[in-house]
Each structure stands twice: as structure tokens, then as C-alpha cells.
Amino acid sequence: MRVISTRILLLVLACTGGLIQMVVSEPLAMRQAQLQRVWKESLLKGDGMTGGLPEVGKVDIMGRHVQPVRATESPRLTTAYYFNQKTDHFGLNSSTFKQKIYINAQHYTYGGPVYLLNSGETPASTSYLTGGEPYTLAKATGGLLIIMEHRYYGTSYPVSDMSGRNMVYLTVENALEDMANFIRNAQSFVKTVVGVTISPDSKWVVTGGSYSANLATWMRLKYPELVHAAYASSAPVRAEDDFYQYDQVVGQALPCAQSIADAVSTLDLILDSRNRTLINSWKQACGLGALKDDADFAGALTDQMSNTVQYYMPTENGDAIATLCSWFSRTQNNPLQNLADMMAAYVRSNNIDVVNAYTSNAGADTIDLYQDGRSWFYQTCTQFGYWQTAPRPPLRRLRSRYMTAEWQSRPCRAFFGDAVPPQPDTAGINERYGGLMPNVTRVVFVNGLLDPWSSLSLPADPMAVLKATTQGQNAVITMPRASHVSDFYFAPAYTEFGVDVARRQILDAIVNFLGQER
């Protein structure tokens, strides 16, 4: 999960034709949804260039080395089914829409558990039917695996366009009730579409990674009569509109953090000078000369380091963190020059159209459907925030002080008008769902400690961990050198990052929970 507030060129892997396809650009505040989809699809489905799983050590379009989950996909599992879902569970709109569902019943034994995975801020992918940790759990426990596409993502839209007035049904509350409504009707639905009878004794386990891990946690909180247990990978359960902690975790992960901090401090002095000639010369040096707004320019410089840490994984052919920091080992240059050279190479190698990629409000008037990033941006504008801001003194910062919550939220009104509040309702989300201390039992919380989002999850607060594990009878599992949702789809060949140990602990915890009475 990732939210920053300028623009990025959306690169996605085409699902057909075996080609990497350029698609319409989206706001940088939407970047997380697109990058996470690219990364998950690369890992689970193949890189799109060969039509199969990516080769070991193959570099994806973001310059990262890809290690796939080793899975083969049965053609008959690719069938999409559509559940007739209510548009508005809590209001007067009685219309319905078709919500996409995928099902793998190959390993289901009558009475076994049912695993429900909500796709969260990405389209539903059939890859998770045959790869990744939810599939592993289903196979190991004789379970049925169901994937539900989140409303307003993929093709599951209840509206005709994405104008502000049509986004009002995109809420956490409606998303949770979507799953509850499906669970209540799952026996008849699954019997009708795949001919499998779900036993009334089957226990439901909701799973998810990143935002969908929030949903898994909150399903157990709000619907304990329906959901027996949950598995939440990298769940940022605390909503935060001033998310400066993200930058701090990135800094802890990068050996070259002080050099980057020195470069950014120099950059801010240059921006403060208002010397247009000097500022424009540094924009040109960074490959960002076409950007007019100085804050957009400063924001663009955070992208590569954030993605390197958030999506970090080991490879046999190199270390992404070491590669990034190698730019700052060039002592003949000052740190800002090294940062500029790194950014310019990043722009060139990814062929980024910087105006579309990093301009705050670009694309605001495009209200056509099938813009997953626009949906996620709306959710951050209304309920989550997650604005990645610069830490204030005396804390070290790797991003410009021009990266404020106000700057990052500014495009909200441009995109959605009066349909969004002046500030996201982070306080309401934390009050309703408990923030770092959700009042839940039988939830497996898993985090990689290199993940910047872990600072909004339980490991960020020792008291939250203590409450969850002693009073709440949950499991809290950490992976010292892993990052965002690594346990959910990480290649199993590597053991030194704690993922293999975590997976054994996840299975043990789920089996333990399944053995408990409802």
C-alpha cells in the first residue's frame, strides 16, 4: 500500500496479449494501488513478456528483481462468477451491481474452512487461487478459497462513472457489509455456480494483505458471528493523515539514509531561495525539468527510495537497497548531485512522462470507470489519509519539508469536489475499529519490519502487541528483514528473511484457531 500526492505514469501488465501496456496516467496519490498490482501480478502471474511465470532474477518494469510464487493455474479456475450485491447497504439506494467472485474448491473437504480473500485496492486476480499464502492455507487445511473483488475496483462498479457524486458508496462500511452479505448467501451461491455444498460446520477465515488486511481484521471485529478467524498481512489498521512514520522506517532500512537526508536538506534551502534559475537547473539535473510546481518536484524525488524499501525482497542477482545506495558512494559528488543523478536515471530507464507522472492535479477531470487508482485516492481522501509527510525536527527526514499533509490532500477537491470532506475522517475510523488496539480475537497479524506501513500496524506499539496476544488471544508475527505483505506472496526459496518461519507460524495459528469452538 502506498500513497503519495503527485502523479505517476501508470504501468500495468496487460492480462491479454502477453505485452506490457501503457495505460492512462493516474495521480501519484494513487500510485500505491497501481504499483502493488504490478508487483503482485509480476510475482504471481508472470511478467507478461513470456506469457508464463517470470524467470528467476528477471527484472520487472520498476527495475526490481522478480521472484514468483511457484504456482500453476488450472484453466477452469479462471472462470469469474458474479454475486448480486447491494449498492448501498445502509441507505435508500436499492439498486444492485455485479461483484466479481473467483472460487477454488479443489482442496475443499466437507466441513473444512472457507477462506475469503477480498482483493482490496487492486482488481481480483485468479493468481491467488493457486499461489500465495491463502492458497497454501486452504490446501493444507482442506479449505475452500474464495476471492471477492472490492467494490469500485477491477470491473465491480456499482456506478456509471467516477465523478464525485458517484463515489459515495465507496466506504469501509459498505465493503465490510459486502463480505458479510456474501457469507450469509454463500451456501446457495457456491452450490449454484460450482456445484459444491459448503457445510454448515465450515468456519470462515477472512484473509487479506495491506488494506484488505484491515478489512480482514475488521470483519472479525464487526461480524464475529460470521467470521471465525482472520489472517491479516501488513495491515495498517491505524488511519493517519500525517504519516511521517513512513519516512522514518525507510530511513532505518537504507544505509545511505544520512546522505539522502543531507541532499534533501540542501534541496529545501534551494527551494526556499525562490531563485528560479537555480531551482530550474536542479529540476533539469533530476530529469524533472518539465514540472512547474516545486512541491511536485520535491515529491517526485521520494518515489524510488520508497518503492525500493516497501517492495524489498532478496534476489540471487543483487540487492535493491544496495543498488540504490551505491549512487551515494560516489564521494566526488555532493549528496544532492548523487540524488539528482539517481532520479534522472530512474526517469530515463522507466521512460516516465514526468508531466503526467508527477503533476498533482493531472487527470482530475477523467471520470471514466476502471481507474483503480482513482478509487483508492477517494478512500484516502475520505477515510484513511495515509499522507506520507516529512518528519519534523529533530527527526531526520528523507523527504522534503514541502511534502505536507495539506499539499498531499490538495488534489482531493480537484478530483471529487464537494463529495469529499475537508479532511479524511481518520479519527472516526480509529474510533470505530480500534486503531492499533482492535478489540478482536483469533486474528493472525503478520508484518515485515522493513515495511514502512508496519508503523501503522500492531508492532509499532508494544502495548498493542501485549494486548493482542495475551488478552485478545491473537497471534502477532514479525519478519525482521521482510517488507510489505512478503508472507502473502513471497517466493518460498529464501529463508533468511524470516518468511519461511512466519509461514509455519501462520499455519500453526490458523490450525489452532480452527480447533476452537465458535
Side-chain angles (χ1 to χ4, degrees), residues 145-166:
L145 178 58
I146 299 174
I147 299 174
M148 167 184 280
E149 191 164 72
H150 195 294
R151 59 171 56 213
Y152 285 83
Y153 292 92
T155 60
S156 298
Y157 282 85
V159 292
S160 58
D161 65 54
M162 302 184 75
S163 58
R165 69 180 184 276
N166 276 343

Side-chain angles (χ1 to χ4, degrees), residues 83-269:
F83 180 73
N84 209 31
Q85 190 64 267
K86 296 178 181 179
T87 297
D88 184 8
H89 293 288
F90 307 103
L92 299 178
N93 188 336
S94 60
S95 66
T96 61
F97 70 100
K98 301 297 184 182
Q99 191 162 30
K100 184 182 289 184
I101 302 290
Y102 291 113
I103 300 172
N104 182 351
Q106 288 184 338
H107 303 290
Y108 180 63
T109 57
Y110 191 74
V114 181
Y115 295 88
L116 176 60
L117 166 60
N118 187 298
S119 67
E121 71 278 30
T122 59
S125 169
T126 56
S127 300
Y128 279 102
L129 291 177
T130 52
E133 190 62 10
Y135 167 75
T136 300
L137 292 173
K139 185 177 180 180
T141 59
L144 178 70
L145 178 58
I146 299 174
I147 299 174
M148 167 184 280
E149 191 164 72
H150 195 294
R151 59 171 56 213
Y152 285 83
Y153 292 92
T155 60
S156 298
Y157 282 85
V159 292
S160 58
D161 65 54
M162 302 184 75
S163 58
R165 69 180 184 276
N166 276 343
M167 302 298 290
V168 296
Y169 308 115
L170 178 53
T171 65
V172 167
E173 291 69 30
N174 270 328
L176 294 174
E177 184 59 26
D178 282 349
M179 287 187 279
N181 186 38
F182 177 80
I183 292 173
R184 296 185 194 105
N185 294 279
Q187 278 187 309
S188 60
F189 180 81
V190 172
K191 177 66 173 178
T192 299
V193 298
V194 297
V196 172
T197 300
I198 297 176
S199 168
D201 296 326
S202 289
K203 297 171 180 175
W204 285 76
V205 180
V206 180
T207 75
S210 197
Y211 160 58
S212 70
N214 288 358
L215 297 178
T217 304
W218 299 337
M219 281 298 293
R220 177 66 186 141
L221 173 69
K222 302 296 287 188
Y223 301 95
E225 75 283 4
L226 297 176
V227 178
H228 183 77
Y231 159 41
S233 173
S234 299
V237 289
R238 177 175 173 81
E240 180 63 73
D241 52 5
D242 184 11
F243 185 17
Y244 68 89
Q245 300 95 330
Y246 186 101
D247 188 84
Q248 291 183 293
V249 179
V250 172
Q252 292 165 8
L254 295 176
C256 56
Q258 188 57 53
S259 294
I260 297 174
D262 292 342
V264 170
S265 295
T266 303
L267 173 68
D268 280 351
L269 291 175

Side-chain angles (χ1 to χ4, degrees), residues 484-502:
H484 198 56
V485 292
S486 296
D487 52 296
F488 217 63
Y489 55 86
F490 203 104
Y494 290 89
T495 60
E496 69 272 27
F497 282 63
V499 176
D500 59 331
V501 175

Side-chain angles (χ1 to χ4, degrees), residues 15 51 71 161 197 202 217 237 336 345 355 404 430 434 479 484 498 504 508:
C15 294
D161 65 54
T197 300
S202 289
T217 304
V237 289
L336 181 55
V355 173
T404 63
N430 292 330
M479 301 170 291
H484 198 56
R504 288 195 293 272
D508 288 346

Side-chain angles (χ1 to χ4, degrees), residues 365-376:
D365 296 331
T366 305
I367 61 173
D368 297 337
L369 295 181
Y370 314 121
Q371 301 180 71
D372 302 317
R374 189 181 184 97
S375 296
W376 179 242

Side-chain angles (χ1 to χ4, degrees), residues 6 70 82 205 231 268 297 331 359 456 466 499 507 518:
T6 43
R70 296 299 177 184
Y82 294 90
V205 180
Y231 159 41
D268 280 351
F297 163 54
T331 56
T359 302
L456 296 182
L466 181 64
V499 176
L507 177 59
R518 295 179 190 267

